[in-house]
């Protein structure tokens, strides 16, 4: 058992490297865009490797855990470099495309005034530009998500009420939920101690979970958001929905980057990967429980405020 | 309360006027701008601690403005104001580094609470960068 695990680890580690190396010459030929894609892919499979190493490491010896830890750090820093590369290499061309779209629109406006041009051709051009700009928006969105996933900015820790954070996110989704006849119930434990966390990062994670819950229900259903204290060191935030649920074979894949069951263009499969990244950086843990066709519940476990923690040791 | 610098960017002139006045009454150094480009222009010449930014504005949207602000001044904290709670812009805004979203009409005390938290965050980040 342990042998086969090691094999798969090795395989996952070399695959991206081979991919990366073999794609470089190809990429150079094609203006660098293929190379970029390959670098991206290998970066992400490397990211997966860390997850595997990390999870398998739990049951193996301390030495292996240490090895995978340093490996994880190494890979993380290269993921960081990748993200900087992506930002530069893809964002800039996207920016230029957007500017050129504006320029073409401007030219078309001028043509509209002169009557010599075919009206229908002009309309077609405008439609086409509209579609290009929609697709550029989509690319922008994915780049943004990749950056969120890879970004290793250190969290800024503040002491806040977990309930306040939850309520501020509920405000964002409440109205849209009502439009789809989705009832959001908040069961907040008023006696929660403050938590030490990065509020905007936590909001981002909770919002992603609420959006997934809403999408899982589509129409007519209920999302229950609850907070509670489990022991002296942790508080929990649970987001539970009575939507489509997750099939057993998919349950352990939902946090994998790019895993999505949503139609093309609807889901990039990065939401939960971003969530997990955030929660782990905040010193917490995120878990999922689901019954296909019945319910799904994500639970975020976060450490209570530093002040409390310190006083335990005094 | 410490006198920190706040910039309000919103296309509703009455709203900007009132809120600037009320924040000044509370001892803050507040200024207003009626569009994204105007706000960015003001940022060229003066640093701010917290920016309150309307999501829905003609010409340049709040999200576009946020993107530009964060490019120019990554450390300034931005609170997004929205009239209707759009989930799409919520995700985008937080991903771009907004501190929070606050729904209009916003009670001044609630806004101040968020602003103080955002300001505290900025101080922590500044300290860390030194
Ligand atoms: N609450 C839920 N109920 C049922 N399935 C879910 C739920 N949350 C996540 N999933 C499943 O996990 C997959 C991955 O979720 P994730 O948020 O990472 O990506 P996505 O929602 O598909 O796309 P994105 O979040 O990038 O727009 C989803 O496609 C869906 O199959
Ligand atoms: Mg999602
Ligand atoms: Mg407006």
């Amino acid at each position: 058992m342990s042998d086969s695990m090691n094999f798969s680890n090795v395989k996952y580690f070399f695959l991206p490297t081979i991919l990366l190396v073999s794609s470089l010459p190809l990429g150079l030929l094609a203006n660098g865009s293929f190379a970029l894609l390959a670098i991206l892919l290998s970066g992400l499979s490397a990211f997966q490797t860390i997850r595997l190493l990390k999870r398998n490491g739990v049951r193996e010896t301390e030495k292996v855990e240490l090895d995978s830890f340093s490996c994880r750090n190494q890979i993380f820093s290269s993921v960081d470099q990748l993200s900087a590369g992506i930002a530069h290499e893809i964002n800039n061309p996207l920016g230029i495309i957007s500017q050129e779209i504006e320029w073409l629109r401007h030219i078309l406006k001028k043509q509209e005034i002169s009557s010599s041009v075919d009206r229908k051709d002009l309309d077609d051009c405008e439609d086409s530009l509209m579609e290009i700009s929609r697709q550029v928006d989509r690319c922008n969105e994915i780049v943004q998500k990749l950056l969120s996933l890879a970004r290793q900015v250190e969290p800024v820790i503040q002491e806040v009420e977990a309930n306040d954070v939850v309520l501020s996110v509920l405000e964002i989704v409440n109205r849209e939920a009502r439009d789809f006849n989705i009832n959001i119930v908040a069961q907040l434990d008023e006696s929660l101690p403050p938590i030490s966390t990065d509020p905007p990062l936590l909001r981002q994670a909770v919002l992603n979970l609420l959006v997934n819950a809403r999408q899982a229900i589509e129409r007519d259903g209920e999302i229950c958001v609850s907070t509670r204290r489990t022991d002296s060191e942790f508080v929990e935030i649970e987001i539970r929905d009575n939507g489509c649920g997750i099939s057993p074979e998919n349950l352990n894949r939902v946090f994998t980057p790019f895993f999505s069951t949503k139609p093309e263009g609807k889901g990039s499969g990065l939401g939960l990967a971003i969530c997990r990244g955030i929660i782990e950086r905040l010193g917490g843990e995120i878990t999922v429980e689901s019954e296909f066709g019945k319910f799904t519940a994500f639970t975020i476990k976060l450490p209570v405020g530093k002040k409390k923690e310190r006083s335990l040791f005094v | 309360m410490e006198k920190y610098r706040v910039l309000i960017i919103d296309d509703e002139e009455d709203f900007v006027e009132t809120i600037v006045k009320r924040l000044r009454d509370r001892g803050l150094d507040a200024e207003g701008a009626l569009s994204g480009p105007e706000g960015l222009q003001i940022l060229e010449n003066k640093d701010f601690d917290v920016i309150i930014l309307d999501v829905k504005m003609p010409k340049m949207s709040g999200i576009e403005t946020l993107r530009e602000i964060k490019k120019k001044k990554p450390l300034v904290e931005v609170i997004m104001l929205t009239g209707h709670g759009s989930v799409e812009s919520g995700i985008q805004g937080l991903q771009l580094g907004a501190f929070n979203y606050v729904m209009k009409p916003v009670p001044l005390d609630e806004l101040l609470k968020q602003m103080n938290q955002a300001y505290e965050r900025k101080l922590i980040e500044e300290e860390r960068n030194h």
Side-chain angles (χ1 to χ4, degrees):
Chain A
M1 183 64 201
S2 157
D3 273 348
S4 74
M5 257 183 201
N6 281 337
F7 173 71
S8 74
N9 286 350
V10 169
K11 189 177 65 183
Y12 274 101
F13 190 75
F14 281 112
L15 195 69
T17 320
I18 293 165
L19 231 172
L20 175 63
V21 173
S22 63
S23 63
L24 276 177
L26 189 80
L28 286 175
L29 281 175
N31 257 345
S33 49
F34 274 129
L36 209 75
L37 195 69
I39 290 172
L40 209 75
L41 283 173
S42 26
L44 281 158
S45 32
F47 193 81
Q48 256 328 92
T49 317
I50 320 163
R51 298 269 180 232
L52 277 168
L53 289 173
K54 201 185 150 207
R55 234 173 282 151
N56 295 341
V58 176
R59 273 191 225 104
E60 289 176 25
T61 64
E62 204 177 325
K63 185 178 171 298
V64 174
E65 257 182 62
L66 273 178
D67 282 351
S68 62
F69 183 74
S70 68
C71 172
R72 179 181 147 107
N73 273 352
Q74 231 173 343
I75 296 174
F76 261 144
S77 72
S78 61
V79 166
D80 250 11
Q81 281 173 325
L82 283 173
S83 76
I86 296 160
H88 190 75
E89 297 293 333
I90 297 185
N91 265 344
N92 281 355
L94 281 177
I96 295 168
I97 294 172
S98 301
Q99 281 167 16
E100 296 295 324
I101 292 172
E102 284 316 307
W103 176 235
L104 285 175
R105 282 198 173 126
H106 175 76
I107 295 174
L108 283 181
K109 273 243 164 67
K110 279 201 297 195
Q111 292 297 316
E112 256 169 42
I113 301 163
S114 80
S115 51
S116 60
V117 200
D118 184 356
R119 186 68 237 176
K120 196 182 165 296
D121 283 351
L122 273 181
D123 284 349
D124 284 351
C125 282
E126 266 160 28
D127 284 353
S128 169
L129 279 179
M130 187 94 84
E131 187 56 32
I132 295 174
S133 106
R134 245 198 301 270
Q135 298 303 328
V136 168
D137 284 350
R138 219 182 119 195
C139 291
N140 272 327
E141 216 174 285
I142 293 173
V143 167
Q144 198 61 53
K145 280 186 178 172
L146 276 173
L147 280 176
S148 277
L149 179 67
R151 191 159 40 195
Q152 278 266 286
V153 284
E154 215 185 301
V156 179
I157 302 298
Q158 289 180 273
E159 203 156 281
V160 286
E161 303 293 334
N163 291 345
D164 283 356
V165 174
V166 169
L167 286 172
S168 69
V169 184
L170 287 185
E171 270 204 350
I172 302 177
V173 289
N174 249 330
R175 207 196 98 144
E176 200 182 286
R178 238 179 291 136
D179 289 346
F180 291 91
N181 196 27
I182 294 169
N183 190 24
I184 301 190
V185 185
Q187 291 176 347
L188 307 181
D189 179 348
E190 298 297 338
S191 69
L192 282 189
I195 52 173
S196 287
T197 199
D198 182 312
L201 276 184
L202 181 56
R203 276 191 268 272
Q204 202 183 327
V206 174
L207 181 57
N208 265 319
L209 295 178
L210 282 168
V211 169
N212 278 346
R214 214 226 76 200
Q215 290 171 335
I217 294 173
E218 283 182 52
R219 284 200 150 269
D220 313 320
E222 190 170 281
I223 300 173
C224 182
V225 182
S226 51
T227 58
R228 58 180 163 259
R229 183 170 194 173
T230 44
D231 52 49
S232 61
E233 282 173 60
F234 290 95
V235 302
E236 280 184 4
I237 303 170
E238 185 194 78
I239 289 115
R240 174 182 290 262
D241 67 75
N242 64 356
C244 61
I246 303 169
S247 68
E249 67 269 24
N250 283 347
L251 198 59
N252 59 359
R253 298 162 68 194
V254 291
F255 292 105
T256 308
F258 294 114
F259 172 77
S260 178
T261 57
K262 289 164 196 174
E264 266 279 322
K266 264 249 159 134
S268 56
L270 289 171
L272 285 176
I274 294 172
C275 266
R276 175 149 80 177
I278 289 174
I279 300 304
E280 285 180 355
R281 265 183 286 154
L282 296 177
E285 208 176 88
I286 178 168
T287 52
V288 58
E289 198 190 332
S290 181
E291 197 177 326
F292 194 52
K294 290 229 165 91
F295 80 96
T296 302
F298 283 89
T299 305
I300 294 173
K301 198 170 164 185
L302 289 168
V304 298
K306 264 198 207 113
K307 277 181 193 145
K308 289 261 153 90
E309 225 171 62
R310 216 179 289 136
S311 69
L312 285 176
F313 295 106
V314 171
Chain B
M1 196 194 317
E2 204 176 327
K3 182 171 178 156
Y4 55 87
R5 298 156 300 179
V6 195
L7 176 63
I8 294 98
I9 309 177
D10 192 311
D11 60 314
E12 273 173 70
E13 199 168 348
D14 291 349
F15 174 77
V16 173
E17 237 169 62
T18 341
I19 203 129
V20 165
K21 188 181 168 301
R22 286 165 82 189
L23 292 178
R24 283 183 183 158
D25 287 347
R26 302 266 181 139
L28 291 174
D29 176 359
E31 278 182 48
L34 296 178
S35 73
E38 190 189 334
L40 289 166
Q41 190 56 45
I42 294 176
L43 277 175
E44 288 288 336
N45 305 313
K46 182 176 170 182
D47 280 334
F48 285 85
D49 300 300
V50 177
I51 295 177
I52 298 167
L53 178 61
D54 186 22
V55 170
K56 215 170 176 180
M57 293 186 290
K59 279 195 288 187
M60 194 178 194
S61 76
I63 293 294
E64 278 173 80
T65 311
L66 173 65
R67 209 188 298 264
E68 292 306 313
I69 290 174
K70 284 285 171 178
K71 253 189 236 163
K72 276 190 190 164
K73 314 266 171 172
L75 281 188
V76 69
E77 291 298 340
V78 181
I79 296 171
M80 307 295 285
L81 272 182
T82 153
H84 51 287
S86 147
V87 176
E88 195 54 39
S89 82
I91 294 181
Q92 277 189 322
L94 289 172
Q95 252 164 19
L96 286 169
F99 180 76
N100 199 3
Y101 271 69
V102 177
M103 299 301 136
K104 280 183 183 176
V106 48
L108 190 65
D109 285 334
E110 177 55 30
L111 186 61
L112 274 169
K113 185 178 161 192
Q114 292 300 326
M115 283 167 50
N116 289 339
Q117 272 185 19
Y119 178 55
E120 181 193 68
R121 179 184 174 89
K122 183 168 182 263
L123 292 182
I124 297 172
E125 274 195 288
E126 273 172 356
E127 197 166 310
R128 199 162 69 183
N129 285 2
H130 276 157

